Amino acid sequence: MIEDRERVATTDARDLALECVETGIEAGRPRRVIREAVSLERSETQAESRDGAAAGDTLRIADEAYDLAAYDEVLVLGGGNAAAHVAAALEDVLGDRIDGGVVVTDDPVDTERVAVREGDHPVPSRRGVESTRELLAAADAADEGTLVLAAVTGGGSAVMPAPAGDVSLAALQETTNALLESGADIREINAVRKHCSALKGGRLARRAAPATVVSLLLSDVVGNDLSVIASGPLAPDASTYEDALAVVDRYGIDVPDAVADRLERGAAGEIDETPGPDDPAFETVSNHVVADGLTVLEAARDAAAERGYETLILSSRVRGEARDAATTHVAVAEEAQATGTPVSTPAVILSGGETTVTVRGDGTGGPNQEFATSAALDLEGGNGITVAAVDTDGIDGATDVAGAVVDETTVDDAERAREMLADNDVYSYLDERGDLIRTGPTGTNLNDLRVIVVE
């Protein structure tokens, strides 16, 4: 999975860190998690339903069961970084019981029955708008005889753009870029995006009603808030236009006039709010989180334990500024090394979640690269600690890398490292040292994974 791994894994500790990264990501791949969560029980009866399907064929998803004879058609709809992989996995399980569908993604794969359409991440694109238009048309055509299997994964907010009202794609792109660079967390970012969209914030559920909708979610959100994953296209939304305006004001974001006008009109009650929990659209919607950050962390933990290391999952909910979080993580590792608390060494300490970066410079990088660089500054001088930090989708920020692995050899000029970090230009700094981790698109998106090997 990791490109040129032998070159990056120059020590046993680095090799272990990279093994934990690969094992964690592999555990979150859609074919694996869908196979565990979804099954089809074929009926032996010869009776047939109105569409010729064997009466009694039962689709089981988690603890729920659906008699496929009760539906005229089964569609797969949705979007996100891993949506096409989810669609392919559902085809593996259901085969010709799937009648069609549309998913939008930036990581397409071959499917037989579901149309895969492309979008872009992390900033929405023209092709994403056109692809999402096709998705919405399919949702509009669904009726009470339709069973919709919804593939919703991290990255869906960007790859499924549906600008609402007078908001143009250019205005949406400008707003998205400003939000991503502001330091706002994902809930704040999505509060704004939901109120500029014809799909997010539960609006896709309205479009698909009265169909029965079963949503399969791969969560990249701390705490698995259904309304935040991919901006909650099939979940009730508690955020408001006033909340969105408050985010814009809090971070001093200069949004385009069309966006400001929409948010202000919505706050004044001139535009309908996103649907809340009492909206009838959700009466036929059920949501199932089939994989999340803990899926990754537990697999990485097991890989470390098999190598004879003590393990500690520090948290699956780490958030805040990436460089600050790195300092705290290194401090925990140093404590373990010095006192055996909170885990005895040799150990592997793991964490997940989603850190952010407030962009003040004009360089290239991402949260995991900044985490790694900040950690490397604390490792200078040698202390037997190795740190790997990646985004599990293989794309850290707007770069072509998943993250980086660092140790005491990474920083040989602390002043320059600090300058690059201050300019948000850590990509080039880490690239010079051969410390970047490249995986390409991984086929999943379950948030960040951080691995700290403490000798």
Side-chain angles (χ1 to χ4, degrees):
M1 181 190 300
I2 294 175
E3 299 174 13
D4 203 10
R5 176 172 165 172
E6 289 185 2
R7 180 184 57 79
V8 182
T10 54
T11 66
D12 289 344
R14 282 180 172 235
D15 183 68
L16 173 57
L18 296 180
E19 181 180 340
C20 290
V21 166
E22 290 185 327
T23 303
I25 292 174
E26 184 64 36
R29 288 185 185 272
R31 275 190 164 88
R32 179 168 174 173
V33 298
I34 293 298
R35 186 171 61 246
E36 294 175 353
V38 180
S39 63
L40 180 65
E41 296 179 0
R42 294 283 186 177
S43 170
E44 295 180 1
T45 179
Q46 297 302 308
E48 292 188 346
S49 69
R50 56 191 171 186
D51 65 349
D57 277 8
T58 302
L59 174 64
R60 295 193 180 276
I61 299 175
D63 56 353
E64 295 187 10
Y66 301 87
D67 181 358
L68 297 186
Y71 302 98
D72 296 322
E73 62 177 353
V74 178
L75 301 180
V76 177
L77 302 178
N81 298 129
H85 294 266
V86 174
L90 288 170
E91 288 186 347
D92 289 344
V93 175
L94 291 170
D96 60 6
R97 298 312 312 275
I98 294 175
D99 297 291
V102 180
V103 294
V104 186
T105 184
D106 63 336
D107 185 14
V109 295
D110 291 336
T111 52
E112 294 183 4
R113 309 184 73 84
V114 180
V116 176
R117 299 292 180 257
E118 293 191 56
D120 291 279
H121 181 273
V123 179
S125 65
R126 173 60 58 190
R127 67 176 181 173
V129 171
E130 294 170 354
S131 297
T132 304
R133 189 176 295 125
E134 186 174 340
L135 168 64
L136 288 172
D140 290 340
D143 59 25
E144 64 275 2
T146 305
L147 174 62
V148 174
L149 303 179
V152 179
T153 82
S157 295
V159 303
M160 294 187 290
D166 295 330
V167 177
S168 66
L169 172 61
L172 192 61
Q173 290 171 325
E174 183 178 340
T175 301
T176 300
N177 275 320
L179 286 166
L180 292 174
E181 294 180 356
S182 70
D185 66 31
I186 192 62
R187 286 171 175 78
E188 294 170 316
I189 291 171
N190 284 356
V192 178
R193 294 198 283 201
K194 289 175 188 177
H195 290 88
C196 297
S197 172
L199 175 145
K200 299 173 176 61
R203 288 192 170 103
L204 181 59
R206 277 184 175 171
R207 302 288 286 261
T212 298
V213 178
V214 185
S215 179
L216 303 167
L217 298 110
L218 275 69
S219 172
D220 67 336
V221 171
V222 171
N224 295 342
D225 186 336
L226 301 179
S227 70
V228 180
I229 303 167
S231 294
L234 296 164
D237 182 33
S239 72
T240 65
Y241 283 101
E242 288 186 356
D243 293 333
L245 277 174
V247 172
V248 170
D249 292 340
R250 186 177 306 127
Y251 293 94
I253 299 171
D254 185 18
V255 298
D257 291 344
V259 171
D261 180 66
R262 179 174 178 80
L263 298 182
E264 289 167 0
R265 288 174 57 215
E270 298 175 19
I271 304 175
D272 287 344
E273 262 296 352
T274 48
D278 296 332
D279 195 287
F282 300 112
E283 293 177 0
T284 55
V285 175
S286 62
N287 289 285
H288 304 272
V289 176
V290 296
D292 61 11
L294 272 175
T295 306
V296 172
L297 288 170
E298 290 170 352
R301 176 195 62 195
D302 293 346
E306 288 178 5
R307 293 272 289 264
Y309 282 71
E310 296 296 319
T311 61
L312 171 67
I313 295 179
L314 191 62
S315 174
S316 66
R317 304 183 179 213
V318 174
R319 49 199 182 272
E321 198 73 19
R323 61 187 70 177
D324 297 333
T327 300
T328 300
H329 279 64
V330 172
V332 172
E334 290 172 340
E335 187 70 31
Q337 201 169 50
T339 69
T341 303
V343 63
S344 59
T345 59
V348 171
I349 299 171
L350 302 143
S351 79
E354 185 172 38
T355 59
T356 54
V357 170
T358 302
V359 178
R360 297 184 176 90
D362 58 2
T364 303
N368 288 285
Q369 294 162 73
E370 293 218 351
F371 183 100
T373 305
S374 179
L377 281 163
D378 286 333
L379 304 181
E380 185 188 19
N383 52 12
I385 297 172
T386 298
V387 176
V390 299
D391 193 324
T392 54
D393 66 358
I395 305 167
D396 185 37
T399 69
D400 61 351
V401 301
V405 58
V406 298
D407 56 24
E408 61 196 49
T409 69
T410 297
V411 174
D412 56 7
D413 183 343
E415 182 177 354
R416 182 161 182 265
R418 290 190 180 93
E419 288 174 355
M420 301 293 274
L421 191 59
D423 197 35
N424 303 114
D425 196 24
V426 294
Y427 176 98
S428 57
Y429 183 81
L430 293 165
D431 193 27
E432 290 171 4
R433 282 147 183 77
D435 289 343
L436 290 173
I437 298 174
R438 289 183 168 86
T439 62
T442 63
T444 192
N445 185 349
L446 298 173
N447 231 319
D448 297 337
L449 169 61
R450 291 170 284 271
V451 180
I452 304 175
V453 179
V454 189
E455 298 296 352

